[in-house]
Amino acid sequence: MEQLLPVNGIRHPWPLVFIQGAGQTATNFLNTPDGRKDWASWLLDQGYEVYLLDQSCRGRSSYHDSHGPTVTYPAELAEKRWTACRDFLLCPEAALHTRWLGSGRMGDPIFDAYYASTVPSLTDYAAEQALMQAAGASLLDRIGPAILITHSQGGTHGWLWADARPKMAKAIVAVEPSGPPFQSTIMKDAAAKQYGITDVTLTYDAPPDRIDERGRPLQSKEHIAANGATYLLQQEPARRLRNLIDIPVVLETGVASSHASYDLFTVQYLRQAGVKVEHLELADKDIHGNGHLQFLELNNLDIIQLLERWIARIA
């Protein structure tokens, strides 16, 4: 855990805690691979106290083999899904991706600098989430109330930290959090997210104990998206996320990311469970061309300035 303090003093009541996505470390939020200022550095300039962490068993948080195997995302996957996705078109939205600097391919110095910063992650998401929830609760007990800023796979930890310490999590900024509900889009694990938006239990107003036909402890129902894909929400009457209902949430989505096709279902799931969530789609704010690693892209400061306005309203 790294605490960063603004040079000219703290000007906001609550610190910001960043939680990165799978295979990443806190370095993602300090500087971009081409040497520009990143989100955490810009927020320091605005007078925010910032905490940066590496997830359990990753980076500076030492790994022990008792926690199980790890996986490293290959460079080819990063090219296809995040940096050169327009070359591969794994989803229709990828054709709109224009904000990554350079070619996004192996051999390009910006891609190589980015990929050199990636690290192994635990393959067992449930084990990782249990470790991170305990660590997050301990951190919030130590530093006090904070605003959580999560990205991708780190999004599950934001829900779990807030569930464990609802009075300490003052707001959640979820940047394209792991989704959609009950599914994993990269690992293709049929057992993913047994509790809707996490792999370990959350506090619902009635315990999730009714096993559905898919073997999940929450009853789910299929919904067909505009693109023809099938997504799952809770079957009504939905159980409410008792510890999250009073926490403001903004869920942000880029136009050129695969999340553009399914983040809406994460938003609907949260609203169905009683969570007050605003869906901030960058295209609606005339910010275009961004993929999943938007904090590293050409217009990254335009995005954090937009998010900071939401944070300032909450704080």
Side-chain angles (χ1 to χ4, degrees):
M1 169 59 62
E2 184 174 6
Q3 179 192 27
L4 301 176
L5 298 173
V7 172
N8 295 318
I10 298 170
R11 303 199 299 272
H12 304 279
W14 300 315
L16 309 176
V17 180
F18 280 88
I19 309 174
Q20 76 284 152
Q24 318 297 311
T25 71
T27 58
N28 277 154
F29 299 113
L30 277 173
N31 300 287
T32 66
D34 58 308
R36 291 173 294 112
K37 190 170 290 189
D38 209 336
W39 287 5
S41 300
W42 184 86
L43 287 163
L44 279 169
D45 291 343
Q46 314 314 307
Y48 286 95
E49 178 183 7
V50 172
Y51 286 86
L52 299 176
L53 60 90
D54 291 346
Q55 289 192 35
S56 301
C57 302
R58 186 190 305 179
R60 293 173 293 181
S61 298
S62 60
Y63 166 76
H64 190 276
D65 56 14
S66 64
H67 293 302
T70 62
V71 62
T72 300
Y73 289 125
E76 292 83 358
L77 183 144
E79 289 179 326
K80 291 176 181 179
R81 287 190 172 272
W82 302 313
T83 62
C85 48
R86 193 166 58 167
D87 294 345
F88 298 95
L89 297 179
L90 297 186
C91 64
E93 294 81 10
L96 304 174
H97 188 225
T98 59
R99 295 296 190 168
W100 184 269
L101 277 77
S103 70
R105 306 294 292 271
M106 286 181 280
D108 182 281
I110 296 173
F111 176 87
D112 291 348
Y114 159 69
Y115 189 70
S117 73
T118 63
V119 295
S121 301
L122 291 179
T123 58
D124 186 337
Y125 280 179
E128 187 169 54
Q129 289 169 30
L131 288 168
M132 280 292 290
Q133 186 178 38
S138 177
L139 174 66
L140 293 175
D141 287 343
R142 181 172 179 177
I143 69 173
I147 294 174
L148 310 179
I149 302 179
T150 70
H151 174 249
S152 195
Q153 171 261 345
T156 57
H157 306 319
W159 315 133
L160 288 163
W161 290 23
D163 188 58
R165 295 293 185 271
K167 300 299 184 184
M168 297 289 194
K170 290 301 181 181
I172 300 173
V173 178
V175 179
E176 299 194 349
S178 180
F182 300 108
Q183 297 180 54
S184 172
T185 55
I186 294 180
M187 303 305 290
K188 306 300 183 186
D189 182 0
K193 299 190 183 73
Q194 294 287 294
Y195 295 91
I197 51 177
T198 61
D199 295 272
V200 297
T201 188
L202 288 163
T203 305
Y204 289 86
D205 56 5
D209 56 4
R210 297 177 297 172
I211 304 300
D212 73 2
E213 66 274 11
R214 299 176 182 83
R216 297 187 179 93
L218 283 171
Q219 294 285 319
S220 58
K221 183 177 180 180
E222 290 186 351
H223 295 262
I224 307 300
N227 63 1
T230 299
Y231 296 110
L232 299 170
L233 297 175
Q234 283 196 72
Q235 181 174 302
E236 296 289 355
R239 300 175 186 223
R240 290 162 59 85
L241 287 164
R242 187 174 67 204
N243 289 348
L244 272 62
I245 58 176
D246 293 324
I247 299 173
V249 175
V250 61
L251 192 154
E252 182 259 278
T253 307
V255 71
S257 168
S258 60
H259 279 250
S261 66
Y262 58 77
D263 271 358
L264 174 62
F265 286 89
T266 303
V267 170
Q268 290 181 357
Y269 185 93
L270 291 166
R271 289 174 177 166
Q272 188 185 39
V275 181
K276 301 177 182 68
V277 54
E278 177 183 343
H279 191 192
L280 179 58
E281 297 182 83
L282 294 183
D284 291 342
K285 302 298 182 180
D286 202 27
I287 297 177
H288 298 278
N290 291 103
H292 190 50
L293 299 179
Q294 53 187 253
F295 42 87
L296 302 179
E297 295 187 321
L298 179 62
N299 59 341
N300 64 338
L301 297 187
D302 293 338
I303 299 168
I304 192 56
Q305 288 171 29
L306 179 65
L307 293 173
E308 194 276 333
R309 288 197 288 273
W310 185 89
I311 291 169
R313 292 202 310 269
I314 298 301

